[in-house]
Amino acid sequence: VPRTGEVVFDKVTFTYPGAEQPVLADISFTARRGTTTAIIGSTGAGKTTLISLIPRLHDATSGTVSVGGVDVREAQLESLWARIGLVPQRPYLFAGTVGSNLRYGREEATDEELWDALAIAQGEDFVRAMPETLDSPIAQGGTTVSGGQRQRLSIARALVRQPDVLIFDDSFSALDTATDARLRAALDREVTDATVIVVAQRVSSIVDADQILVMEDGRIVDRGTHSELLQTSPTYQEIVST
Ligand code: DCP
Ligand code: MG
């Protein structure tokens, strides 16, 4: 399996088991290594479903999804997952410590690597301010940290794994716009090799993306850069203005 993290969707359709209507229809795009692909669209458009096909949380009903040139259905699941860092829309923390939560998925990571990931995820300051820093306990369900802190720990956990493909599902929504901007600038600076896929609600989080896919009812209705879409896409214009 080549180490390149290019993600390709080719005419992908997906219907949830037992459902009548497809949730994704005719999805084709390429997300290249070293670039950021953003996915935007209203609630229920199918964004989370789309990204869930990459680590095979679901399998496409028709069409193919490939990572690094290999059809995900033919890849070994363990090696596929090792190459994907997915920050879920509802981040979860385990009972344990800050450190054990960050090491989940890469137990051998050093403290220095954890701090590097926290610095990018804008979590360094609040973890340093905790009485036992990386050894601070996290209660079951992560109730000892705020929603925004949980989001940042979840982002840092994905970075610690140094994946080829980094997927953020609405991961910046609980952050204030200044923190969001700092985090994206740090990602741009420090994560240069990965294929980054960002699902976002806020247009400000994706203005710099190399390509933006605009989704509506399970389809990609428009695509382009921010400035291209401002001129060509009524759907995008509507999202921008709300
Ligand atoms: N759906 C379903 N079964 C599931 C998950 C979703 O039937 N287990 C349906 C609900 C929506 C459609 O699929 O009609 C798309 O759901 P998504 O969660 O993929 O939509 P988004 O991620 O775009 O929505 P949001 O912005 O609210 O996260
Ligand atoms: Mg979603």
Side-chain angles (χ1 to χ4, degrees):
V1 180
R3 281 279 296 174
T4 157
E6 183 162 287
V7 175
V8 180
F9 276 59
D10 186 26
K11 301 192 187 67
V12 169
T13 299
F14 177 74
T15 305
Y16 277 102
E20 292 186 354
Q21 295 294 321
V23 168
L24 299 175
D26 198 27
I27 301 286
S28 296
F29 71 91
T30 298
R32 293 207 165 74
R33 183 178 179 188
T35 73
T36 297
T37 295
I39 303 172
I40 198 160
S42 53
T43 182
K47 305 179 297 293
T48 296
T49 305
L50 187 157
I51 58 163
S52 75
L53 303 185
I54 302 170
R56 290 192 66 193
L57 303 181
H58 301 292
D59 274 333
T61 308
S62 67
T64 53
V65 176
S66 62
V67 174
V70 176
D71 184 335
V72 291
R73 280 171 298 201
E74 265 136 47
Q76 201 216 347
L77 208 50
E78 208 176 323
S79 75
L80 179 71
W81 282 8
R83 298 160 66 213
I84 298 171
L86 170 62
V87 183
Q89 192 162 15
R90 289 205 188 83
Y92 53 88
L93 297 173
F94 305 104
T97 63
V98 169
S100 70
N101 267 279
L102 295 178
R103 280 196 179 88
Y104 174 73
R106 200 165 144 256
E107 300 299 325
E108 71 276 19
T110 63
D111 280 5
E112 197 187 347
E113 287 173 317
L114 302 190
W115 286 116
D116 287 347
L118 283 167
I120 298 170
Q122 308 301 305
E124 191 181 355
D125 291 353
F126 80 79
V127 174
R128 281 207 197 281
M130 290 173 152
E132 296 169 82
T133 66
L134 291 174
D135 295 325
S136 303
I138 296 278
Q140 192 105 40
T143 45
T144 51
V145 295
S146 74
Q149 288 173 338
R150 192 179 8 238
Q151 245 180 355
R152 283 175 275 174
L153 291 176
S154 184
I155 291 166
R157 172 195 288 155
L159 293 170
V160 166
R161 301 176 63 233
Q162 301 179 345
D164 294 337
V165 183
L166 249 178
I167 307 167
F168 299 104
D169 190 356
D170 201 18
S171 303
F172 311 132
S173 57
L175 308 178
D176 61 78
T177 49
T179 306
D180 179 9
R182 278 201 304 276
L183 198 157
R184 283 180 295 102
L187 279 174
D188 267 359
R189 205 169 50 236
E190 308 289 343
V191 182
T192 50
D193 275 351
T195 303
V196 180
I197 299 177
V198 178
V199 172
Q201 298 281 349
R202 218 167 25 207
V203 170
S204 63
S205 303
I206 59 161
V207 285
D208 299 326
D210 298 283
Q211 77 174 328
I212 299 168
L213 311 175
V214 183
M215 284 191 75
E216 212 174 57
D217 292 333
R219 292 176 181 276
I220 298 174
V221 292
D222 291 305
R223 65 182 77 203
T225 62
H226 174 71
S227 58
E228 285 163 2
L229 288 168
L230 278 181
Q231 303 201 345
T232 59
S233 171
T235 311
Y236 191 73
Q237 287 158 8
E238 201 180 304
I239 295 168
V240 171
S241 65
T242 53

